[in-house]
Amino acid sequence: MLPESWRGALGGQLSEPYFAELMEFVAKERANGPVHPPEDEVFAALAATPYEDVKVVVIGQDPYHGAGQGHGLCFSVRPGVRTPPSLRNIYKEMKEDLGHPVPDNGHLMPWARQGVLLLNAVLTVREGEPNSHKGRGWEKFTDAVIRAVSGRPDPAVFVLWGAYAQKKLPLIDESRHAVVKGAHPSPLSAKKFLGSRPFTRIDAAVAAQGHTPIDWRIPDLGRA
């Protein structure tokens, strides 16, 4: 269930009582109706970005709750799914900040494969009901993910967009890791987010840590 590269850092969480209760809750939720993402994609962010490869951590809140949207990476949607508003603002800022074209899709797997951990704080959601799995134990697990990255000798860049993500700041050792904070890219706070040049700031921190740069360009898929 847990990707192998993360087992040493997080394996102890799976034997904790809270995790057994969480798995029981999610199983009952799936028995009662649609839950997103599918069971085999709950840990997709960890599978796509191995523990030792993490350069950047982007913290989201909970998965997209529409059918067929989310696939386990925060802000990302499946190929062929309409790009959500927050991600459209991220792309708009990427274009203004770095000059990269806005892609025709919202599939962020190319970022994840370069070491960008796209981590939601809550990893499952009931269809059509945002935050429906909040407070059930996922936060304890994903806090452990953040602590695990913070505890590595190799530094990373933590991207905290919005007040919710910024509450995770105490979990991060700022003496060893870089933190890029800013407004959330949702339409509600887009005026503050747009123009904040987060990609330039992230790139500078990645370079200062001695890591290879992230290529933020997302390839077009040739579909609307």
Side-chain angles (χ1 to χ4, degrees):
M1 180 170 60
L2 191 65
E4 187 171 350
S5 76
W6 289 89
R7 287 177 191 164
L10 298 172
Q13 298 296 313
L14 276 61
S15 59
E16 292 285 333
Y18 88 89
F19 196 83
E21 293 172 6
L22 171 61
M23 292 297 98
E24 183 179 358
F25 166 75
V26 174
K28 287 180 179 178
E29 287 283 281
R30 291 193 188 278
N32 290 330
V35 169
H36 302 299
E39 193 169 4
D40 62 349
E41 293 182 317
V42 170
F43 298 104
L46 301 180
T49 311
Y51 176 61
E52 62 274 9
D53 294 344
V54 175
K55 300 176 190 175
V56 178
V57 182
V58 179
I59 299 174
Q61 193 160 349
D62 75 335
Y64 294 120
H65 54 85
Q69 283 188 306
H71 61 108
L73 277 61
C74 74
F75 292 109
S76 181
V77 290
R78 298 177 190 280
V81 175
R82 180 181 171 90
T83 303
S86 291
L87 184 52
R88 288 203 299 269
N89 285 330
I90 291 172
Y91 284 164
K92 185 175 180 180
E93 181 60 19
M94 179 182 71
K95 182 179 180 180
E96 291 298 316
D97 191 1
L98 302 179
H100 295 333
V102 173
D104 65 2
N105 68 93
H107 192 58
L108 301 182
M109 189 61 76
W111 292 0
R113 289 178 177 146
Q114 295 179 77
V116 181
L117 178 62
L118 297 166
L119 181 71
N120 276 315
V122 176
L123 298 187
T124 56
V125 68
R126 195 180 304 139
E127 183 170 298
E129 297 184 42
N131 293 316
S132 51
H133 289 186
K134 180 181 178 181
R136 294 289 184 163
W138 279 127
E139 295 91 341
K140 187 169 184 179
F141 177 79
T142 55
D143 281 358
V145 174
I146 295 168
R147 286 194 185 95
V149 177
S150 179
R152 293 186 324 177
D154 195 21
V157 182
F158 289 84
V159 181
L160 309 180
W161 285 329
Y164 183 89
Q166 288 166 23
K167 289 179 181 177
K168 305 297 183 180
L169 193 60
L171 306 175
I172 302 163
D173 182 354
E174 291 186 82
S175 70
R176 295 190 302 111
H177 301 278
V179 176
V180 173
K181 293 187 289 184
H184 195 277
S186 79
L188 295 174
S189 50
K191 287 184 179 179
K192 293 181 179 178
F193 175 77
L194 296 173
S196 62
R197 304 197 69 186
F199 292 97
T200 294
R201 292 154 62 202
I202 296 166
D203 285 349
V206 168
Q209 292 171 350
H211 295 145
T212 55
I214 305 294
D215 182 355
W216 297 103
R217 293 172 294 180
I218 298 291
D220 282 343
L221 297 176
R223 62 185 80 174

